[in-house]
Each structure stands twice: as C-alpha cells, then as structure tokens.
C-alpha cells in the first residue's frame, strides 16, 4: 500500500482581465482575480519520501488554457494518511466521493510547484497551505493484496500559497484553491501513473514596483 498516493498537483489558473487593487496596499500592489482555470495533467510516482513514512512523492506535469494565455505547470507533492489516532497507523479517517461511495482520506504533506502563465510573462511559485484527497475504496484497493488498482478514482481539494514569482510576476503573493478529480491509469507495487482534471480559483498580488523597474530598465537602455 506504499504507493497509495493521491495526485496533488497544481496546474491551472485563469486570471480575470480586469485588475482590482488590494484595499490595504492600494499604492503598492496589483491584484488579479483567478477563476475558471482548467487544466489536464499527468502524474508519476518518484522515489522521494520526505518524512520516511513509505508514501513517496508525486511528480505532476500539466498544461491548460486561461484568459491570459497558455498555462504550464510542474509540481512535486507528497501525502500521508489522515488518522483519527496518530499513534495507530490503521485508524484511517474516511470520506465520501461525489457519487456517494465511501473513500479513504489523505492529507497534503508537502507541495512545491511552479506555474507559468504565458499572458503575464512570468510564473508563480507555490507551496503547501492545506489540502485533502479522497480515494474511492471500492475501486482503489485490492483487499487481498493491499495493492492500488488500475482504474482507481479520486478527488482532491487543496489550498496553495503563492510564495514568490518569476519574470514579471516576481515577488508575487496570494493563495489559490484547486478542486479536481483523476484516475490511476497504471498501478504497480513500485509506483503508479495517473491523470487529473482540475479547476483553480484565487488571487495573485504583484508589486506595482515591478512595472516601475521595467520602465527604468528601458530608459537605461535607450
């Protein structure tokens, strides 16, 4: 059961075309509302295990569309079982799938990702805030061998912090939420491969001084 890892990944952001300025930093920040960001992603298990619990991290790569052009993302994430008794590794917490089927609950342990937004000529850097994933019990686990199964269905609901940015999104801050669902396409005792469809919403805050620095650079070159 060591590879019973939900996909935790970030891959899609749609940003509204209208700019809204942050109330408390009106002279310092530009704020973009992110909504309806849709992406398709794939994920494969790695050998990384940050906390030594036997559940390895996942490498996720994906792309999508937004009102600011194409999106390209890559992330590494790791999860752990949600337990009612931290001292009892078998005390799993349970969840409900959208179809009403029971599932096993996991928590986001780590997340590190980069998302490029073509229309904004930069990328945001993301890290864990909070999150859970629900794996459908009836489709995910072989109750005889304890192994993950091909065709396993899962859902995810995550919060991610924007900790920095690259290019014209340098020093960005904010928070994104991601909800989606996926399927394990190939399961093996040494790892798995899966797909995921996700939807993002949230806010990106960018220092206005980025624009001033760009103008100064142009002036220096002229």
């Amino acid at each position: 059961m060591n590879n019973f890892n939900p996909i935790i990944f970030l891959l899609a952001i749609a940003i509204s075309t209208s700019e809204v300025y942050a109330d408390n930093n009106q002279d310092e920040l530009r704020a973009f509302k992110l909504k309806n960001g849709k992406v398709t992603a794939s994920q494969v298990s790695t050998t990384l295990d940050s906390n030594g619990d036997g559940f390895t991290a996942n490498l996720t790569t994906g792309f999508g569309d937004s009102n600011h052009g194409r999106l390209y993302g890559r992330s590494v994430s790791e999860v752990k079982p949600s337990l009612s008794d931290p001292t009892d590794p078998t005390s799993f917490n349970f969840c409900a799938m959208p179809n009403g089927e029971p599932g096993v609950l996991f928590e986001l342990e780590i997340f590190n990702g980069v998302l490029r937004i073509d229309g904004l000529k930069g990328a945001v850097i993301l890290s864990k805030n909070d999150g859970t994933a629900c794996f459908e019990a009836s489709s995910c686990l072989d109750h005889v061998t304890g192994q993950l199964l091909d065709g396993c269905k899962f859902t995810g609901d995550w919060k991610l912090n924007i900790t920095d940015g690259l290019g014209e999104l340098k020093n960005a801050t904010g928070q994104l939420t991601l909800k989606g669902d996926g399927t394990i396409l190939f399961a093996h005792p040494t790892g798995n491969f899966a797909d995921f469809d996700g939807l993002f919403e949230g806010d990106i805050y960018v220092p206005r001084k980025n624009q001033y620095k760009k103008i100064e650079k142009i002036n220096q070159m002229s």
Side-chain angles (χ1 to χ4, degrees):
M1 191 172 172
N2 287 353
N3 292 296
F4 189 16
N5 293 339
I7 287 182
I8 310 292
F9 81 99
L10 164 76
L11 290 163
I13 296 181
I15 302 175
S16 99
T17 53
S18 61
E19 294 181 356
V20 181
Y21 294 98
D23 294 338
N24 298 328
N25 300 286
Q26 197 168 22
D27 296 328
E28 299 177 4
L29 297 176
R30 292 183 298 161
F32 299 93
K33 189 71 178 178
L34 288 68
K35 57 184 180 180
N36 298 324
K38 299 178 180 179
V39 303
T40 298
S42 62
Q43 172 251 331
V44 64
S45 300
T46 73
T47 58
L48 300 173
D49 184 358
S50 65
N51 58 6
D53 66 354
F55 291 86
T56 60
N58 303 311
L59 172 64
T60 304
T61 304
F63 62 92
D65 292 303
S66 78
N67 57 328
H68 282 279
R70 298 286 285 173
L71 306 173
Y72 303 90
R74 182 170 277 194
S75 67
V76 174
S77 59
E78 187 175 338
V79 299
K80 64 179 180 181
S82 176
L83 304 176
S84 58
D85 179 359
T87 65
D88 181 2
T90 65
S91 61
F92 293 102
N93 286 318
F94 298 97
C95 50
M97 296 291 291
N99 62 3
E101 289 287 327
V104 180
L105 188 66
F106 278 71
E107 299 173 354
L108 181 61
E109 177 73 358
I110 64 165
F111 183 97
N112 291 279
V114 178
L115 181 70
R116 166 99 186 157
I117 307 168
D118 269 4
L120 297 182
K121 298 180 180 179
V124 290
I125 298 173
L126 303 114
S127 67
K128 167 196 167 182
N129 180 302
D130 192 18
T132 60
C134 186
F135 269 44
E136 186 178 70
S138 62
S139 67
C140 286
L141 194 65
D142 185 320
H143 297 288
V144 175
T145 65
Q147 295 297 323
L148 194 65
L149 298 174
D150 293 354
C152 168
K153 305 293 184 182
F154 62 90
T155 64
D157 188 350
W158 308 286
K159 293 179 181 179
L160 301 169
N161 292 328
I162 300 172
T163 60
D164 203 345
L166 302 171
E168 295 189 14
L169 297 178
K170 185 177 180 181
N171 297 319
T173 58
Q175 188 178 94
L176 307 178
T177 61
L178 172 64
K179 296 182 179 181
D181 57 81
T183 304
I184 300 295
L185 303 177
F186 175 71
H188 189 271
T190 60
N192 59 72
F193 177 74
D195 64 22
F196 188 87
D197 288 320
L199 177 66
F200 262 92
E201 293 184 337
D203 298 281
I204 294 178
Y205 297 97
V206 183
R208 291 174 60 84
K209 63 182 180 180
N210 285 11
Q211 180 179 359
Y212 304 146
K213 288 183 178 179
K214 182 178 179 181
I215 293 173
E216 291 174 0
K217 185 176 181 180
I218 293 175
N219 290 338
Q220 291 172 0
M221 295 175 62
S222 61

